[in-house]
Amino acid sequence: MPLIVMCGYPCSGKTRRAEELKGYFEQKSGRQVHIVGDEALGVERNSVYADSQKEKNTRAALKAEVERKVNKDDIVIFDSLNYIKGYRYELFCLIKHAQTPHCLVYCLTSDEVSSTWNTNRDAAEQYTQDLFDALVLRFEAPDSRNRWDSPLFTILKDDTLPFEDISDAIFKRKAPPPNQSTQSQPLSSSNFLYELDKITQDMLMAIFNAQKTSVPGDLISVPGATEKIELTRNINMAELRKLRRQFISYTKMHPTENTGQIANMFVQYLNKSLH
């Protein structure tokens, strides 16, 4: 039966979401749900992910375990970083061969939030900071225009999982045919991308300048948005730029027809990411 692939930064909430999905599908479908991941295989992350050969061997072992678990009756949730585009393509080839649907659940967080969650873990479960930073740099974000990353569900840290939509994606879709040809999907219009870039850049400068005369806790107004930004602390330009890049990546995957919504969407994203 179907495969659900988790994806995201280290410490981005993937395991928590995998457990939520497991509970939902066990209750609603009555099927057995298997979670395959680093913890199940006893992966020592600071050793494995710091050594390219060990990591390659671990990825192969995880994929083999997924392949063993995929069958006509059960649901498999693959809970690992899955941060390499080529590896996600290999998983797509696997489900094509098994003739079963799949979907990708992307736990989207800022690297600052994930880093905080990492340091809040028990010491034995933490990534070293150097390794954490390296994995964030290596991360290749999923793109719904790629057939191996689709259907894609992007989940922010405070979102409720869209259980019914995920269920429809894996139960009501046909499995991809073994020899499915690549179907390119249209890119967002150049005007949309221009507006996205311009609006978010203008907002960044407004936030940065507003902080010079405000204190933590103030509500900041930004151009084009009816909603206000709630800043609980001062944020430097480097962090603002990182959040902007992540928002742009997310929005390119889920473009809106109304560019007038971009400013409010960015405000909502910042408020969720900064709290």
Side-chain angles (χ1 to χ4, degrees):
M1 284 306 286
L3 172 66
I4 301 174
V5 178
M6 310 301 295
C7 176
Y9 283 167
C11 307
S12 57
K14 298 182 296 298
T15 296
R16 173 169 65 91
R17 299 301 194 175
E19 291 292 347
E20 290 175 5
L21 287 166
K22 183 176 188 290
Y24 173 83
F25 284 115
E26 285 179 339
Q27 180 182 4
K28 294 293 185 179
S29 71
R31 299 177 187 272
Q32 190 170 359
V33 182
H34 303 283
I35 295 181
V36 175
D38 294 2
E39 290 186 10
L41 289 189
V43 173
E44 208 295 295
R45 61 192 63 179
N46 285 311
S47 171
V48 166
Y49 290 109
D51 184 307
S52 60
Q53 188 57 51
K54 287 182 180 178
E55 182 181 354
K56 183 178 179 181
N57 293 340
T58 297
R59 287 200 304 269
L62 287 167
K63 190 175 79 166
E65 183 65 14
V66 168
E67 194 166 16
R68 280 194 292 270
K69 295 289 188 185
V70 169
N71 60 47
K72 64 183 179 66
D73 298 315
D74 303 336
I75 298 169
V76 179
I77 301 173
F78 187 13
D79 175 26
S80 189
L81 294 172
N82 296 319
Y83 69 95
I84 300 172
K85 179 170 61 176
Y87 187 56
R88 295 196 298 269
Y89 177 73
E90 291 177 23
L91 295 170
F92 177 71
C93 293
L94 184 156
I95 64 102
K96 283 174 64 178
H97 179 72
Q99 283 293 274
T100 186
H102 94 308
C103 72
L104 192 70
V105 176
Y106 176 25
C107 297
L108 177 60
T109 58
S110 68
D111 51 353
E112 288 85 0
V113 168
S114 289
S115 181
T116 299
W117 286 352
N118 181 48
T119 56
N120 288 339
R121 286 182 166 189
D122 292 338
E125 297 179 352
Q126 290 181 18
Y127 292 86
T128 65
Q129 191 60 47
D130 285 347
L131 179 57
F132 176 89
D133 292 341
L135 288 170
V136 167
L137 287 174
R138 291 183 221 164
F139 186 80
E140 297 176 337
D143 184 339
S144 62
R145 292 170 297 185
N146 297 327
R147 62 195 187 281
W148 55 88
D149 287 337
S150 180
L152 174 65
F153 298 92
T154 302
I155 312 298
L156 301 180
K157 66 185 182 72
D158 295 322
D159 286 352
T160 298
L161 280 172
F163 293 109
E164 291 187 6
D165 291 340
I166 293 173
S167 179
D168 288 348
I170 61 175
F171 288 128
K172 295 185 178 181
R173 289 173 58 253
K174 292 182 179 179
N179 295 318
Q180 182 185 31
S181 61
T182 303
Q183 298 180 348
S184 60
Q185 299 185 27
L187 294 169
S188 305
S189 70
S190 58
N191 182 63
F192 171 77
L193 295 177
Y194 170 78
E195 291 295 330
L196 177 63
D197 183 76
K198 182 178 185 300
I199 290 169
T200 53
Q201 182 60 39
D202 289 346
M203 290 174 68
L204 234 60
M205 293 308 301
I207 296 166
F208 184 71
N209 291 327
Q211 290 185 110
K212 297 175 183 177
T213 56
S214 64
V215 296
D218 285 354
L219 297 178
I220 294 178
S221 298
V222 289
T226 56
E227 300 186 33
K228 295 185 178 181
I229 296 173
E230 305 168 15
L231 291 183
T232 57
R233 58 182 173 84
N234 283 326
I235 305 165
N236 61 38
M237 184 56 80
E239 183 175 356
L240 285 170
R241 286 182 180 133
K242 285 182 181 178
L243 290 169
R244 175 176 175 262
R245 286 197 300 269
Q246 290 184 339
F247 174 76
I248 287 175
S249 295
Y250 170 77
T251 309
K252 282 179 179 178
M253 292 185 280
H254 303 83
T256 175
E257 295 180 1
N258 183 2
T259 56
Q261 295 178 349
I262 292 174
N264 278 331
M265 288 168 59
F266 191 30
V267 169
Q268 293 167 6
Y269 178 80
L270 289 172
N271 283 337
K272 282 188 174 184
S273 300
L274 296 170
H275 288 77

